[in-house]
């Protein structure tokens, strides 16, 4: 009798271990006709239906999985936009740089930081109208660059690129309450 009991305990523990280590497939019949549901083995994974992402899909996974590995973000979801203050801080980090050491790095970084700040201002909860001058100046720069972010084009327009950075830095310094 004790061998049988040990076998039952072992089977119950094995079933429990298996059920804790996987995510069950959703009930396709419950999803309804015309919808598709997907599931992955990662907790916090996003489910999508034909109607679009669920409310769960709008939050970024921040916790680690039970196994201790970090949750992998969905590459199809858009990257979260930085806050204006964070994007402005990274732009300010370019103020002491120049083309003297590594011009390719410098110009591409200034361009990248300006674009990220522009996106952050447009996505800010206060609205894009809260940053009219910097957004207008970025529009002028983007028109000048014509969508070409190659080093050759950035170097050709380096004066406008650095001038836009300096203008936005001065404007933001004069409006600290707008981005904090």
């Amino acid at each position: 009798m004790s061998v049988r009991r040990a076998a039952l305990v072992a089977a119950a523990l094995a079933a429990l271990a298996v059920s804790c280590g996987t995510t069950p497939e959703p009930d396709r019949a419950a999803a309804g006709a015309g919808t598709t549901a997907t599931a992955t083995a990662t907790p916090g994974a996003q489910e999508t239906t034909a109607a679009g992402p669920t409310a769960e899909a709008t939050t970024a996974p921040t916790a680690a999985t039970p196994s201790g590995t970090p949750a992998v973000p969905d590459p199809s979801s858009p990257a979260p936009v930085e806050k204006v203050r964070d994007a402005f801080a990274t732009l300010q980090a370019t103020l002491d740089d120049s083309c003297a050491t590594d011009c390719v790095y410098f110009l591409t970084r200034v361009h990248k930081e300006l674009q990220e700040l522009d996106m952050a201002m447009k996505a800010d909860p206060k609205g894009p109208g809260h940053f009219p001058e910097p957004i207008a100046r970025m529009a002028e720069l983007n028109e000048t660059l014509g969508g070409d972010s190659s080093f050759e084009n950035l170097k050709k327009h380096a004066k406008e690129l650095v001038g836009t950075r300096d203008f936005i830095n001065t404007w933001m310094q004069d409006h600290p309450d707008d981005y904090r």
Side-chain angles (χ1 to χ4, degrees):
M1 191 75 134
S2 66
V3 173
R4 185 174 180 187
R5 181 175 288 165
L8 285 173
V9 169
L13 288 175
L16 180 62
V18 169
S19 69
C20 290
T22 62
T23 303
E25 282 290 321
D27 185 2
R28 298 207 189 283
T35 61
T36 57
T38 58
T40 61
T42 340
Q46 301 174 358
E47 292 186 299
T48 305
T49 64
T54 62
E56 228 181 304
T58 60
T59 60
T62 55
T65 60
S67 64
T69 58
V72 178
D74 182 4
S76 66
S77 67
V81 177
E82 283 184 285
K83 290 184 177 182
V84 172
R85 67 184 164 100
D86 297 336
F88 178 52
T90 58
L91 178 68
Q92 283 185 302
T94 68
L95 291 173
D96 292 329
D97 293 340
S98 69
C99 271
T101 22
D102 186 353
C103 202
V104 173
Y105 171 77
F106 171 68
L107 293 177
T108 54
R109 180 165 180 219
V110 169
H111 180 258
K112 174 187 161 290
E113 300 301 344
L114 283 170
Q115 296 302 321
E116 289 176 358
L117 180 58
D118 187 45
M119 287 188 302
M121 288 178 178
K122 290 175 180 174
D124 189 77
K126 297 174 186 173
H130 207 70
F131 306 97
E133 291 91 354
I135 290 174
R137 189 69 178 256
M138 278 302 301
E140 291 172 17
L141 175 66
N142 288 335
E143 187 175 320
T144 300
L145 295 175
D148 182 2
S149 61
S150 67
F151 170 66
E152 293 77 23
N153 195 44
L154 294 178
K155 187 170 183 176
K156 178 180 174 184
H157 299 290
K159 184 177 178 183
E160 293 90 346
L161 187 67
V162 173
T164 300
R165 177 202 63 185
D166 294 345
F167 170 83
I168 290 175
N169 179 58
T170 301
W171 190 93
M172 296 292 281
Q173 292 291 336
D174 290 342
H175 299 82
D177 293 335
D178 289 346
Y179 64 91
R180 290 189 179 157

